[in-house]
Every structure is written in structure tokens, then in C-alpha cells.
Amino acid sequence: ETPYAYIWCGRPDRTAEVLDAVRRFRYAPGEGGCPGNNDSGGTSSWYVWACLGLYPLTGTPYYLLSSPSVDRAEIAFRSGKLRISVERESPSSIYPAAYVFNGRKLAGPWIGVDELERGGQLEFVLSDTPSLETFTTPQWY
């Protein structure tokens, strides 16, 4: 959860930078490609969630949003299918510029579990440069 703490500091750009670096430099194909102890699958599941741009925040009814490394994905929840798409300024864009769920721009990098798991379209808009004025910080902690 540590990289996501930047969200409460109003710095989702730093979350994006840390996640990008961890995905690229700590995970690799082959032996030793999954860092740490993965006996229960926690390390590999973190990687999957990070690649999707989502993080189920334990003990809360929220998913945190970051910047995916995939361009599109689908997740079948019990209540509906979530379609994820990513619009990038360039192929190397990692900084969040907007999050749009079912046509509605989200105020910050989070969404309720109930809302997201009903399904729909989640669009990540990523930029080449960070914007510190884009999002509000969560007030639900």
C-alpha cells in the first residue's frame, strides 16, 4: 500500500512514478522475477492490480486508481463487467490527467467498490507530465 500513500499527500504523480518503476525494475520473466515472498500470492496479485491501475484498499469500501501499464482490460465481477481503457498522450505516458467512469469525470483517484463492481467503462487519461492541480485528496479516511 505504500506507493498509494502519495494520494493522501495530493501527489498521485508520485504514486505513478513509484508504481511504474516497481513494475519495470522489480518484476521480470524467469527465475527470481517476482520479488519477495509470494507463498500466498500477495506479491503477484499486487502486480496484477498495479498493471490494471487499480488497488483494492484493504479495510475500506474503495479502490484506489493509479496509472495502468496495460492499454485495455476487462474484469468480470459478480455484479457486472468492468471495461478498462487507457488514453495516453504518448506511449511512455504514466501521469494521471483524468479518470472517467461511465462518462463521469472522477474528483480524485478513487472509486467506491459497489460502484466499480457493478461494471461499466473506466477510462484512464495519462499524460507525459505531472499535474499537481488535477485531483483532490480523499476525505473519507
Side-chain angles (χ1 to χ4, degrees):
E1 294 178 357
T2 304
Y4 298 92
Y6 285 110
I7 289 172
W8 276 269
C9 301
R11 298 292 308 268
D13 59 308
R14 288 292 297 140
T15 297
E17 290 170 350
V18 171
L19 292 179
D20 182 61
V22 169
R23 285 187 306 239
R24 288 188 301 123
F25 300 119
R26 296 292 296 157
Y27 289 84
E31 188 175 329
C34 187
N37 183 343
N38 196 40
D39 288 347
S40 64
T43 307
S44 55
S45 66
W46 178 92
Y47 178 76
V48 171
W49 285 115
C51 287
L52 293 171
L54 300 171
Y55 186 76
L57 187 58
T58 305
T60 75
Y62 294 97
Y63 281 94
L64 298 179
L65 306 175
S66 58
S67 40
S69 61
V70 299
D71 290 328
R72 62 182 150 330
E74 287 188 2
I75 302 173
F77 291 110
R78 185 179 323 158
S79 305
K81 183 183 288 187
L82 175 67
R83 291 172 308 285
I84 295 171
S85 63
V86 181
E87 178 186 319
R88 295 178 194 278
E89 189 174 276
S90 77
S92 60
S93 296
I94 64 165
Y95 297 107
Y99 300 105
V100 181
F101 184 68
N102 290 336
R104 176 177 52 91
K105 186 175 179 180
L106 300 176
W110 63 86
I111 189 168
V113 168
D114 290 341
E115 185 176 15
L116 186 75
E117 291 185 2
R118 277 194 300 268
Q121 179 70 35
L122 177 61
E123 182 182 358
F124 294 83
V125 181
L126 303 180
S127 173
D128 287 335
T129 56
S131 173
L132 302 180
E133 302 301 322
T134 306
F135 304 109
T136 60
T137 57
Q139 300 300 313
W140 41 261
Y141 51 89

